[in-house]
Amino acid sequence: MTRYAELQTTTAFSFLRGASHPQELVIGAEALGMTAVGITDRNTLAGVVRAWTEATDKEKAYKIRALTGCRLDFRDGSPSVLIYPSDREAYGRLTRLLTEGQLRGEKGECFLDWADLTKYGEGQLVIVVPPSNLDEAFERDLARAAGDFRGSIWLAGSRGYAAQDVKRLTRLSEMAQTFRAPLLATGDVLYHGPERRPLHDVMTCIREKTTIQEAGFRLEANAERHLKPPAEMERLFKRWPVAVERTQEVVERVEFDLSQLSYQYPDEPVPPGSTAIRHLTKLSCEGARKRYPNGVPTKVAKNLRHELKLIRKMDVPDYFLTVHDIVNWARTRPDPILCQGRGSAANSSVCFCLGVTAVDPTIENQDLLFARFLSEERGDPPDIDVDFEHERREQVMQYVYERYGRHRAAICATVIHYRPRSAIRQVGKALGLTEDITAALANTVWGSWGDGLPEAHIRQAGLDPENEEIQRAVGLATQLLKFPRHLSQHVGGYVLTQRRLDEIVPIGKAAMKDRTFIEWDKDDIDSLKLMKVDILALGMLSAIKRGLDMLARDHRENCLRMYGQLIENHAQIPSADPAVYAMLQKADSIGVFQVESRAQMSMLPRLRPENFYDLAIQVAIVRPGPIQGDMVHPYLKRRQKIEAVSYPKPGPEHPQDELESILGKTLGVPLFQEQAMRLAITAAKFTDVEANKLRRCMATFKNLGDLAEHRDRFIGGMTDRGYEREFAERCFKQIEGFGSYGFPESHAISFAILVYASAWLKCWWPDVFCAAMINSQPMGFYQPAQLVRDARDNGKVEVRPPDILSSDWDCTLETASQPGSRLKAVRLGLRQIRGFKKPEAELLMQARVKGGASELAHFAQAGLSRRSLELLAEADACRSIGLDRRQALWAVKGLAPEIRAPRETPLLAGLPLFETAAALPAMSDTQHVAEDYRTTSLSLKDHPLAFFRERLRRMGCTPAGRLDDLRDGARVMVAGLVLIRQRPGTAKNVTFLTLEDETGPMNAVVWQRLFVENRRTVMTSGFLVIHGKIQKESNVIHVVAERFVDLSDWLAELKVEPGEQTICPRVPGRMVRSRDFH
Amino acid sequence: MSLGLFAGQKAADAAALVPELDSVDYDPDGDAAALEALCDWCVRFSPAVAVDGLDGLFLDITGVSHLWDGEAAMASDLIARLAANAIPARAAVADTAGAAWALARFGRARVVTVPPGKQADALRPLPIAALRLDEAAAAQLPRLGLTRVGKIMDQPRAALARRFGMGLMLRLDQALGGLEEALAFRRPPTPWFERLAFAEPISALEDLERVTDDILAAMAQRLAARGQGARRFILTFHRLDGRAFTVSAGLSRLGRAAAPVARLLKPKLGEVDPGFGIEVATLCAEEVETLSERQSRLDDDAEALAQEGVAALVDRLTARLGEGRVFRAIPVQSHVPERAVRRGEALSDLTEGWDPDKPRPVRLFRQPEPIEAMALLPDNPPSRFQWRGRMHTVTRAEGPERIGDEWWRRPLDQVGSDWVRDYYRVEDTAGARFWIFRAGLYGGETKPRWWLHGLFA
């Protein structure tokens, strides 16, 4: 039988050139019985790890080899070549070559000359790709190439079913002989199977920014560029059989395999004269003494000894030292940067003692085991994720670059995939649909879209789903989904190496200046077992840090009096405060970390958290896993003592209490990822290998990995051992939920620390909390309007509007007007004014400090732009200098011109110095409120709905504040501004709406059927009336919607001049921009 | 409006609101042409008519309104006549163009007449958009509460000028009459038109030929004076009884010289039936464009001369065979052969050539013709084939060139890799070369069939 290896392939990682994933090519080539498949994307190695991972998957036991290669396109006109490094050193040269080329261009470009290849050419196998025109220039190039790479060079020839294939191949074979670059048969593959031709054509159109009708010869003439079986290749190359057989020769000469990328950690943090493990031991012991000032408990000491032993055995102490070094640097800044480890590292006492994590794994009743973090059997390198204040993470990143150098530290890539919206937009454009139709299709897309765009959505957009063109667009867009679009830098995943990083992976430029990132993403790094540290940004850490700073500065005396010290970091916050838990039990949690979403808020009064561990459960329970697995209600019932705690039991021949030990602390209901894992091992008897695969599947959401293959094994395993099928299925459903958003217990506990810290601030210092949260925007779930409202209503905080004489850029605290108040008043910052820029705010603040500026003209002289002054005027921030909105705007407009067109000067020259006063019409209250919303997104004067209350009352609407009085099941009609629309991925059949009127927020639930019927209204209305029924459960009130009336038009009335009719066109009004989550 | 539709709305949104909505593509050129036509038509009301923007007309009716018994009656008549032609319109009569513009658009009635000197009162209640303001001023003034023209008029003039510039003052003054406004009045178009009237009716063919020469010469002179040339000449003979006979000639290149055109027209004069005699001849030149005078240079190359020769040949062939029968095959970027060519003007230049790697026959049939053929192996050409009843034995062949169909022309679920044609260039024993193809693949769902698509030279 003929042996053949496909050595010329283009995958989806040659963006918009290849229409198959690397994995698909491996699977396809294996199925056709090839010996190997080489991945040769254009000037990149971005797809090679995926192919290699697929080919080396132990379970699948493929016979095929995935070769690591690359196609080099040159800028100096040299013919393109396919490069296969023959050994590890040649591979390092190839990555250096690519790195050099990429650093020459902008992001996504790679500029190479032939001279670069010869410089790094040692050990490379070179296959020349002939151009379409086999002219003398090519002969010269081939002669030169053959001279440079004698004995390691081939000439590629392929059969694309063009008119003169045979003539061309004959010519190539002559040239091959003349220049001693033997002819090598390739398929020049663009996709694994011919059915991908339409998708490939569409990709071509997207790439060429043209339409399918206009693309002409830029498209391929036929669907022949797919993988073909060896026998077929033999037939196509009947006259050159050696060219097919020769592919084997190339495969055999490639000794390099990605598994050879041996890896060493950087050793910087180790002081001279010490060893890594000795230094780590020393730091751990010192840390332990600090953590336990009253003596290190035996359990901790035992843990430390055990962990250190394993760390030494696995030879990874440098990793811990590196992470410690980064964390320690952040903590020891003059203004320390708050940070905290998340994820499975919280299982480790070493991490706790090093200060990397904030959770003590030895505390009773927690299920934190070091093995979850690091295990010899798994052999995976440790993986620590650390959160830093989101606004100061950049400093940490710069430190990493400084300390390890750019040649040894770089950020991982993230593969950006086509999302439904971008896919339909691009495909629509490529198929020549009009902008209108494409936009309409794209706008119906909300959230993920699996097998296609539901017809109903298309119909609601005013389009006909039966229409051929629409079907074609939707069909192809669905195919395009999940294809990589481009590489971007990962949010914070760093790869650090001892050896030059550019000899391991090509490094490219990022869009951000001075940023570089490697071509591989986290999954690739995982597969190759390289070391990585995640330096993440967390908004809440910034908010807590700002809050604590503000507390120490503005409430200094109070703090010292109440706590005996200034609280500098969240570890010093008084713990186990019943007032904090009481607040959370009331679902008073707007702004609190993690438990502020609708779903969390409705859970709080039912779960009634009483202690720290309850917070961890609270964080973990409202997650896709437990919800999908239908574990939430059983847990709640047991907690509320409505249902007795019981443990499903296996058949009598097995230990009857095996689940009790796993599920004891969560009342028999699996809630955490670890529990699901232990279920798999204990109850479904997964082997270590199986469990590891399952864990990997759960740990990261993989585009192509699927959990489904574990399903039968898991459910079968449990039912075989006598568990009820229904219970097993629920458990597996939960695992599927973890697949997208895993929450291990260690992670939940780490997060619970921040839940408590933010709740404590909100409970005791709502003024500080409100200011700190707004100053850390954008973050979290709520906008400043809701935070302000919550602070005023629930925290009894006085809030003052932005003001030209009193406001800084950030919100600040001022003495409250009520004498003796413990809390201070919040002065909103200038950041709240839409469009106002920070440097302008700084100018303004300087002008006040320096010159005691007190008039618009002073600020203008201080250099504030006319635009900024107008923004201040329009935001009504000039009241303190005696001007209302219109007066201020009139005054700003009247200031001496900044620079005006000279032609106007002669006319203006005669204008009187003192003007006659303008008779500007006064604004109505409604206009002021509408303008407040337009300029600052909130109004402290009144709520827009207050103006409509009388009309709404006549319509029969109940204000939000009165919903408490209604009984469960009562019919009700409510009206409000739409603040938030949320369609959780976990609850596909329900949409949550948060409305707000002048008496407070209210929540509505829209079931799927109703949502479908009223999709447009629900998705676009800014002011909505909902008819429905009250649903009350544990003091959580929802309105279950039955019918909608869209009142968005009314909002335009607010802006109408007193005594005038509305004159603006009836464009649907939106007072607030809602936040839509999905 | 009551349906929730408004200008500037997205078509898809509008269609979603009103499913039975009839939508028409935006055609700015067509709209502009129609407005200009309407402008010309309005000349019957006043000689001074100007097009205003995309949707308006200005008529200067100074001194003509008495013909209608006053301004109001005149405006009403105009609107009524437009309405009779299914053109909805509004009109206003005022002292100033600005005021008329404002009231026609924002006035309360379809026809508004402002008494002389009263425009200020009429404008007061109108929104400021009535002042034709620039975008910045239009956005800023309402923020100050200055939403009506009257409120602006009430502000101190200097303060306004200082804040909103002279643009605002200019518009205000133009509306109120403080400042003249120059309008671009449209003159009736000057057609390229010649007319010859005869004292005695003519009917002899020689006379018609002489008239043809004369009138063409007159036109040529006028065209030359303006440096213009034309592509089409339409000659009409008007008979005493009112019937008219038209002959015309088209040129493949821009021209104006009388002789070549006459050569093309004269053979057609036989079609003209003079009846009792012809009293008037008119000549119209169409597709008039600038034609620079060509100077024959000493080194003028032979190719250009040949081109001239070809041009003359093309014109004569066209005159003989009819319009559109003489053409040049122009390549189109498509893989499908019958779509890869279009008929272009005979003398047009090729912007891109034919790809030598894709040999195409000189003669491509409009419809491929079925042939009987058999091939031994997949990918092999047939050894013989029968076409139009004759058997051809293949001696040489090249191919296959595989061409997939344009999948985007069929529903996505019917796209398959079977829809291909394998083309072969074959030569028979007589040395004739054919372009044949097999539609479909052996072993595919449908049995492949053979076709002949063209002949090579």
Side-chain angles (χ1 to χ4, degrees):
Chain A
M1 203 186 116
T2 325
R3 291 187 305 168
Y4 176 67
E6 182 54 64
L7 293 175
Q8 186 175 8
T9 63
T10 303
T11 80
F13 283 88
S14 297
F15 300 112
L16 296 174
R17 288 184 189 276
S20 289
H21 295 281
Q23 295 94 320
E24 289 175 323
L25 289 172
V26 171
I27 296 168
E30 164 81 16
L32 295 176
M34 294 188 194
T35 54
V37 60
I39 302 298
T40 52
D41 281 311
R42 293 179 178 230
N43 295 345
T44 178
L45 295 175
V48 297
V49 181
R50 282 150 204 263
W52 176 82
T53 309
E54 180 71 30
T56 53
D57 189 323
K58 283 202 190 78
E59 287 221 344
K60 292 180 180 156
Y62 288 158
K63 292 204 193 74
I64 198 162
R65 265 180 85 189
L67 303 187
T68 298
C70 177
R71 168 180 169 138
L72 301 182
D73 287 342
F74 297 97
R75 68 169 168 189
D76 63 0
S78 303
S80 297
V81 294
L82 312 174
I83 292 286
Y84 287 98
S86 60
D87 55 25
R88 171 67 183 90
E89 292 310 310
Y91 173 79
R93 283 187 281 273
L94 175 61
T95 55
R96 281 182 71 172
L97 164 72
L98 288 170
T99 303
E100 257 180 46
Q102 293 187 2
L103 294 183
R104 268 177 208 152
E106 286 305 307
K107 187 197 170 191
E109 294 172 336
C110 183
F111 293 129
L112 292 172
D113 298 324
W114 186 262
D116 298 318
L117 177 58
T118 47
K119 179 171 155 200
Y120 292 108
E122 194 188 333
Q124 314 291 10
L125 308 180
V126 177
I127 302 164
V128 177
V129 180
S132 61
N133 193 359
L134 304 178
D135 53 9
E136 282 174 23
F138 174 61
E139 275 189 31
R140 279 196 301 276
D141 288 333
L142 184 60
R144 177 185 61 179
D148 289 342
F149 292 96
R150 178 115 358 256
S152 328
I153 188 162
W154 292 266
L155 180 61
S158 54
R159 289 275 326 253
Y161 278 84
Q164 299 178 331
D165 265 4
V166 175
K167 202 161 141 193
R168 179 178 163 88
L169 276 172
T170 311
R171 176 90 185 92
L172 284 174
S173 118
E174 285 165 14
M175 288 172 121
Q177 239 165 11
T178 315
F179 299 105
R180 288 163 61 198
L183 185 69
L184 185 81
T186 70
D188 198 359
V189 164
L190 298 176
Y191 31 76
H192 66 285
E195 66 279 5
R196 284 281 166 87
R197 176 180 172 227
L199 182 65
H200 184 263
D201 282 351
V202 164
M203 285 178 161
T204 303
C205 293
I206 298 173
R207 190 184 79 225
E208 297 283 334
K209 300 189 178 57
T210 181
T211 64
I212 197 90
Q213 292 83 5
E214 301 284 315
F217 296 141
R218 285 171 284 189
L219 304 177
E220 293 293 322
N222 54 44
E224 292 302 316
R225 306 275 295 266
H226 58 89
L227 292 170
K228 289 176 183 165
E232 172 75 358
M233 291 303 286
E234 189 184 21
R235 189 181 70 76
L236 290 171
F237 285 84
K238 205 165 46 194
R239 290 167 61 178
W240 305 275
V242 198
V244 176
E245 188 56 34
R246 211 170 261 141
T247 56
Q248 213 43 46
E249 182 191 319
V250 177
V251 172
E252 275 154 22
R253 280 183 61 181
V254 177
E255 281 165 25
F256 175 69
D257 185 87
L258 283 173
S259 59
Q260 295 161 12
L261 295 185
S262 67
Y263 190 77
Q264 285 172 320
Y265 298 127
D267 55 10
E268 261 80 357
V270 183
S274 183
T275 64
I277 189 69
R278 206 183 297 157
H279 189 54
L280 181 66
T281 311
K282 178 169 159 273
L283 288 175
S284 304
C285 293
E286 282 171 13
R289 278 195 292 279
K290 252 187 235 156
R291 286 279 192 197
Y292 307 97
N294 304 326
V296 181
T298 359
K299 194 173 171 193
V300 176
K302 206 180 116 204
N303 264 8
L304 285 178
R305 271 196 304 279
H306 167 71
E307 291 182 17
L308 286 167
K309 208 170 120 195
L310 195 62
I311 290 169
R312 160 189 251 163
K313 200 164 169 199
M314 291 181 67
D315 197 20
V316 288
D318 296 289
Y319 179 78
F320 289 82
L321 290 172
T322 308
V323 176
H324 169 260
D325 180 61
I326 296 168
V327 168
N328 192 46
W329 179 85
R331 291 245 170 80
T332 51
R333 293 304 86 210
D335 181 16
I337 301 172
L338 276 195
C339 56
Q340 179 179 311
R342 63 154 78 171
S344 61
N347 287 303
S348 154
S349 279
V350 167
C351 285
F352 178 64
C353 290
L354 289 177
V356 170
T357 53
V359 178
D360 182 350
T362 59
I363 284 178
E364 283 294 312
N365 208 11
Q366 286 176 162
D367 192 20
L368 299 182
L369 284 178
F370 186 62
R372 306 259 162 68
F373 172 52
L374 198 61
S375 109
E376 208 182 346
E377 293 80 56
R378 282 206 308 274
D380 286 349
D383 180 6
I384 302 181
D385 304 346
V386 188
D387 288 316
F388 292 85
E389 288 175 46
H390 74 310
E391 281 159 334
R392 298 177 67 197
R393 182 184 59 147
E394 187 59 32
Q395 298 173 18
V396 182
M397 293 175 132
Q398 289 308 328
Y399 169 73
V400 171
Y401 279 133
E402 256 167 55
R403 174 107 175 150
Y404 302 97
R406 275 171 196 279
H407 59 296
R408 289 173 45 212
I411 213 157
C412 292
T414 298
V415 181
I416 307 293
H417 295 96
Y418 279 93
R419 307 297 306 157
R421 204 179 278 260
S422 55
I424 191 76
R425 246 178 224 288
Q426 302 266 17
V427 170
K429 212 192 259 178
L431 291 177
L433 300 185
T434 64
E435 195 76 19
D436 258 12
I437 291 178
T438 318
L441 275 176
N443 286 336
T444 58
V445 175
W446 197 11
S448 53
W449 131 37
D451 300 331
L453 193 57
E455 289 195 355
H457 293 196
I458 300 171
R459 217 167 254 126
Q460 278 201 336
L463 302 170
D464 176 11
E466 302 292 320
N467 179 297
E468 239 178 58
E469 284 181 81
I470 303 282
Q471 284 186 341
R472 195 176 298 125
V474 170
L476 286 167
T478 310
Q479 286 188 30
L480 187 63
L481 284 185
K482 292 178 185 171
F483 265 88
R485 194 177 175 187
H486 58 91
L487 295 182
S488 175
Q489 52 177 341
H490 185 260
V491 287
Y494 270 88
V495 173
L496 301 172
T497 52
Q498 178 68 11
R499 180 185 174 141
R500 293 176 66 112
L501 185 58
D502 61 5
E503 289 181 353
I504 292 175
V505 54
I507 304 171
K509 264 192 190 166
M512 211 187 286
K513 198 173 167 281
D514 290 340
R515 224 13 120 60
T516 52
F517 67 95
I518 63 169
E519 283 186 350
W520 293 338
D521 78 350
K522 290 181 77 161
D523 294 348
D524 298 336
I525 298 297
D526 271 359
S527 303
L528 294 172
K529 301 184 194 271
L530 302 186
M531 164 184 149
K532 141 183 143 288
V533 190
D534 266 7
I535 299 175
L536 303 170
L538 190 62
M540 186 48 79
L541 278 173
S542 302
I544 291 175
K545 164 81 173 158
R546 281 164 191 271
L548 293 176
D549 285 353
M550 212 179 267
L551 193 63
R553 190 175 60 236
D554 293 311
H555 287 291
R556 196 181 165 83
E557 279 75 42
N558 269 336
C559 255
L560 289 171
R561 188 168 47 76
M562 289 167 72
Y563 312 119
Q565 60 169 347
L566 292 178
I567 296 173
E568 278 162 352
N569 63 56
H570 56 292
Q572 295 168 341
I573 289 175
S575 61
D577 187 332
V580 174
Y581 291 103
M583 178 187 82
L584 289 177
Q585 287 170 11
K586 284 188 301 179
D588 182 359
S589 67
I590 286 182
V592 177
F593 187 59
Q594 283 284 314
V595 297
E596 58 176 349
S597 73
R598 279 314 318 150
Q600 288 279 6
M601 272 168 119
S602 68
M603 195 62 69
L604 280 167
R606 297 186 223 179
L607 201 99
R608 302 184 61 77
E610 288 165 0
N611 56 45
F612 180 71
Y613 193 72
D614 287 346
L615 291 182
I617 289 180
Q618 170 82 31
V619 166
I621 199 167
V622 189
R623 300 292 303 177
I627 292 175
Q628 267 179 26
D630 209 6
M631 299 297 183
V632 178
H633 287 281
Y635 180 81
L636 279 178
K637 277 191 199 145
R638 290 172 183 203
R639 190 170 165 99
Q640 292 167 346
K641 305 242 176 355
I642 299 168
E643 188 184 291
V645 177
S646 69
Y647 300 94
K649 290 186 171 51
E653 67 276 22
H654 303 292
Q656 293 296 294
D657 61 346
E658 63 181 28
L659 288 196
E660 198 167 342
S661 62
I662 302 175
L663 304 175
K665 59 191 174 158
T666 53
L667 311 178
V669 181
L671 294 178
F672 295 117
Q673 199 175 310
E674 288 90 345
Q675 293 175 317
M677 280 305 302
R678 283 178 67 189
L679 273 179
I681 295 168
T682 312
K685 287 286 171 250
F686 269 46
T687 62
D688 281 353
V689 176
E690 286 170 329
N692 259 328
K693 286 188 66 94
L694 181 64
R695 198 185 55 90
R696 257 170 198 284
C697 268
M698 286 200 312
T700 45
F701 174 70
K702 294 218 173 100
N703 285 298
L704 295 157
D706 50 345
L707 271 164
E709 57 193 61
H710 297 287
R711 187 189 165 85
D712 292 341
R713 173 73 190 82
F714 184 91
I715 294 173
M718 278 182 75
T719 46
D720 284 353
R721 298 185 67 252
Y723 285 101
E724 278 180 31
R725 184 168 186 87
E726 189 264 335
F727 176 71
E729 275 177 358
R730 274 199 292 147
C731 290
F732 193 76
K733 260 198 181 155
Q734 178 171 1
I735 290 178
E736 284 177 326
F738 283 137
S740 20
Y741 307 95
F743 248 22
E745 183 176 5
S746 52
H747 185 66
I749 291 176
S750 297
F751 267 18
I753 291 176
L754 300 179
V755 175
Y756 181 81
S758 54
W760 180 84
L761 261 182
K762 177 178 161 74
C763 178
W764 286 99
W765 304 100
D767 51 344
V768 171
F769 184 71
C770 175
M773 287 292 290
I774 295 178
N775 291 347
S776 308
Q777 292 289 314
M779 62 163 283
F781 207 71
Y782 295 96
Q783 292 174 318
Q786 286 91 58
L787 295 169
V788 164
R789 184 187 182 108
D790 182 58
R792 291 170 98 190
D793 294 357
N794 294 329
K796 306 294 172 230
V797 177
E798 186 183 345
V799 182
R800 296 170 182 165
D803 184 86
I804 190 166
L805 294 185
S806 310
S807 286
D808 289 356
W809 167 251
D810 279 329
C811 300
T812 46
L813 297 184
E814 296 177 351
T815 313
S817 35
Q818 183 136 22
S821 162
R822 179 177 67 90
L823 299 182
K824 295 198 163 191
V826 173
R827 169 67 71 182
L828 292 179
L830 299 172
R831 61 184 303 142
Q832 199 51 40
I833 300 175
R834 216 177 264 170
F836 202 81
K837 300 277 189 304
K838 194 172 180 185
E840 294 278 303
E842 277 156 7
L843 276 177
L844 180 142
M845 285 151 70
Q846 280 165 17
R848 284 194 318 228
V849 173
K850 261 195 251 160
S854 60
E855 260 181 57
L856 282 173
H858 296 163
F859 291 110
Q861 281 155 14
L864 253 75
S865 72
R866 180 66 58 88
R867 174 89 194 113
S868 299
L869 289 172
E870 277 179 21
L871 285 170
L872 285 169
E874 294 193 356
D876 210 7
C878 299
R879 298 244 176 195
S880 59
I881 52 176
L883 300 170
D884 81 352
R885 264 202 171 90
R886 284 182 177 167
Q887 291 162 343
L889 187 56
W890 183 258
V892 173
K893 291 247 157 220
L895 289 172
E898 281 175 314
I899 299 162
R900 282 282 179 104
R903 66 186 164 82
E904 295 189 10
T905 16
L907 283 164
L908 291 163
L911 292 176
L913 199 57
F914 296 101
E915 297 185 324
T916 16
L920 299 173
M923 280 172 87
S924 66
D925 292 346
T926 64
Q927 282 180 304
H928 271 301
V929 170
E931 277 294 283
D932 282 346
Y933 270 89
R934 188 180 68 79
T935 54
T936 62
S937 316
L938 58 88
S939 177
L940 300 171
K941 299 187 180 93
D942 211 335
H943 193 276
L945 253 69
F947 303 112
F948 298 115
R949 182 49 61 198
E950 182 50 30
R951 269 152 81 185
L952 292 172
R953 196 187 56 76
R954 271 185 271 135
M955 282 172 72
C957 288
T958 309
R962 301 281 304 280
L963 292 180
D964 273 342
D965 307 344
L966 298 175
R967 62 183 164 75
D968 186 34
R971 304 206 69 80
V972 71
M973 197 170 151
V974 294
L977 301 181
V978 182
L979 296 187
I980 297 164
R981 289 166 241 264
Q982 199 189 7
R983 281 189 96 189
T986 48
K988 286 250 181 291
N989 48 357
V990 57
T991 305
F992 292 109
L993 295 178
T994 302
L995 305 188
E996 182 193 70
D997 69 12
E998 76 281 15
T999 63
M1002 55 204 143
N1003 301 298
V1005 176
V1006 186
W1007 292 107
Q1008 181 65 12
R1009 191 184 54 79
L1010 194 73
F1011 176 79
V1012 169
E1013 285 164 12
N1014 296 280
R1015 194 182 169 84
R1016 268 192 91 73
T1017 312
V1018 175
M1019 279 177 65
T1020 61
S1021 173
F1023 181 9
L1024 201 58
V1025 171
I1026 300 180
H1027 296 250
K1029 264 191 196 147
I1030 291 284
Q1031 188 187 61
K1032 265 190 184 176
E1033 206 189 325
S1034 306
N1035 288 327
V1036 182
I1037 302 176
H1038 277 106
V1039 177
V1040 181
E1042 290 170 356
R1043 199 158 66 78
F1044 304 95
V1045 182
D1046 183 3
L1047 294 185
S1048 303
D1049 287 356
W1050 286 20
L1051 295 176
E1053 291 176 26
L1054 293 174
K1055 299 173 186 160
V1056 171
E1057 282 292 308
E1060 282 185 14
Q1061 297 273 303
T1062 165
I1063 49 169
C1064 28
R1066 299 210 145 203
V1067 184
R1070 265 201 188 190
M1071 181 117 275
V1072 290
R1073 213 164 298 162
S1074 64
R1075 280 194 182 180
D1076 300 343
F1077 298 85
H1078 37 75
Chain B
M1 289 279 253
S2 58
L3 294 171
L5 304 179
F6 56 88
Q9 195 170 25
K10 282 199 177 144
D13 290 347
L17 282 172
V18 186
E20 61 276 21
L21 187 76
D22 226 4
S23 69
V24 179
D25 283 343
Y26 176 48
D27 173 17
D29 295 338
D31 288 352
L35 188 63
E36 277 174 22
L38 198 62
C39 184
D40 293 342
W41 178 86
C42 281
V43 171
R44 67 188 58 203
F45 286 86
S46 160
V49 189
V51 169
D52 171 48
L54 301 175
D55 60 350
L57 296 175
F58 280 121
L59 275 73
D60 184 350
I61 55 168
T62 315
V64 293
S65 60
H66 64 275
L67 296 170
W68 274 264
D69 230 6
E71 293 169 343
M74 179 181 180
S76 300
D77 183 48
L78 172 58
I79 295 302
R81 279 169 190 269
L82 286 171
N85 284 302
I87 301 172
R90 299 165 62 91
V93 182
D95 282 3
T96 65
W101 190 96
L103 287 156
R105 284 168 177 76
F106 297 94
R108 283 178 181 269
R110 276 169 73 87
V111 178
V112 179
T113 315
V114 185
K118 295 292 182 201
Q119 55 269 29
D121 294 340
L123 288 175
R124 269 189 173 275
L126 300 190
I128 54 164
L131 285 180
R132 300 180 284 174
L133 300 178
D134 61 73
E135 264 178 56
Q140 288 284 354
L141 286 164
R143 303 242 165 95
L144 291 163
L146 305 178
T147 49
R148 302 280 155 175
V149 176
K151 288 180 180 170
I152 294 179
M153 285 156 66
D154 292 343
Q155 301 308 320
R157 197 178 153 76
L160 267 184
R162 175 164 179 174
R163 285 166 175 84
F164 297 99
M166 291 315 289
L168 173 65
M169 308 327 291
L170 178 78
R171 285 311 197 184
L172 198 59
D173 292 344
Q174 280 177 349
L176 295 176
L179 214 65
E180 283 292 314
E181 181 173 358
L183 298 175
F185 290 111
R186 186 177 160 84
R187 280 178 211 296
T190 327
W192 291 99
F193 185 78
E194 282 296 325
R195 186 167 182 272
L196 275 183
F198 317 118
E200 291 289 313
I202 55 168
S203 53
L205 184 62
E206 307 85 80
D207 292 339
L208 296 185
E209 288 183 342
R210 192 167 39 77
V211 166
T212 304
D213 286 333
D214 290 351
I215 200 164
L216 281 169
M219 178 66 83
Q221 203 175 356
R222 270 185 58 210
L223 285 167
R226 296 289 203 84
Q228 304 287 302
R231 275 185 209 283
R232 252 192 114 60
F233 294 85
I234 299 161
L235 178 59
T236 309
F237 295 97
H238 302 263
R239 255 168 35 170
L240 280 173
D241 60 1
R243 284 187 65 186
F245 288 85
T246 296
V247 290
S248 64
L251 297 182
S252 49
R253 323 180 130 227
L254 214 54
R256 60 174 170 249
V261 183
R263 260 206 305 282
L264 298 174
L265 284 175
K266 280 178 185 169
K268 298 177 180 174
L269 293 179
E271 299 161 20
V272 176
D273 174 9
F276 295 109
I278 287 162
E279 57 172 357
V280 173
T282 57
L283 175 70
C284 212
E286 288 184 349
E287 296 175 52
V288 175
E289 285 170 38
T290 305
L291 170 65
S292 55
E293 196 62 57
R294 278 185 62 137
Q295 183 88 47
S296 284
R297 295 190 340 220
L298 279 178
D299 61 343
D300 217 355
D301 48 342
E303 196 193 338
L305 280 173
Q307 277 282 342
E308 295 287 346
V310 172
L313 175 66
V314 165
D315 290 343
R316 286 171 70 181
L317 282 173
T318 307
R320 185 74 46 89
L321 300 170
E323 302 262 332
R325 305 293 286 271
V326 183
F327 59 87
R328 174 162 199 173
I330 300 196
V332 175
Q333 279 220 354
S334 169
H335 289 294
V336 177
E338 58 268 36
R339 285 194 239 280
V341 58
R342 71 176 169 84
R343 292 179 171 199
E345 289 194 29
L347 293 182
S348 50
D349 294 324
L350 287 189
T351 45
E352 58 186 319
W354 297 89
D355 184 353
D357 288 341
K358 294 177 188 151
R360 293 291 179 264
V362 170
R363 170 103 198 274
L364 184 77
F365 297 156
R366 283 196 179 197
Q367 292 281 334
E369 297 183 7
I371 53 173
E372 290 296 321
M374 267 302 286
L376 291 175
L377 289 164
D379 280 10
N380 271 24
S383 45
R384 333 154 8 99
F385 65 91
Q386 188 176 339
W387 175 49
R388 292 186 181 169
R390 268 189 59 193
M391 189 59 81
H392 299 263
T393 304
V394 174
T395 54
R396 297 150 186 263
E398 184 177 69
E401 176 178 4
R402 182 163 292 176
I403 296 177
D405 73 333
E406 298 189 330
W407 53 266
W408 55 94
R409 294 179 193 271
R410 65 175 77 246
L412 191 59
D413 51 9
Q414 289 173 28
V415 173
S417 42
D418 272 7
W419 297 95
V420 297
R421 297 180 191 167
D422 275 350
Y423 277 90
Y424 297 87
R425 206 151 59 119
V426 297
E427 191 177 303
D428 70 2
T429 39
R433 291 181 174 188
F434 306 87
W435 208 35
I436 61 173
F437 71 87
R438 188 190 68 239
L441 296 172
Y442 285 111
E445 271 177 34
T446 45
K447 196 169 171 285
R449 289 180 64 192
W450 287 89
W451 304 81
L452 194 142
H453 204 168
L455 304 173
F456 285 91

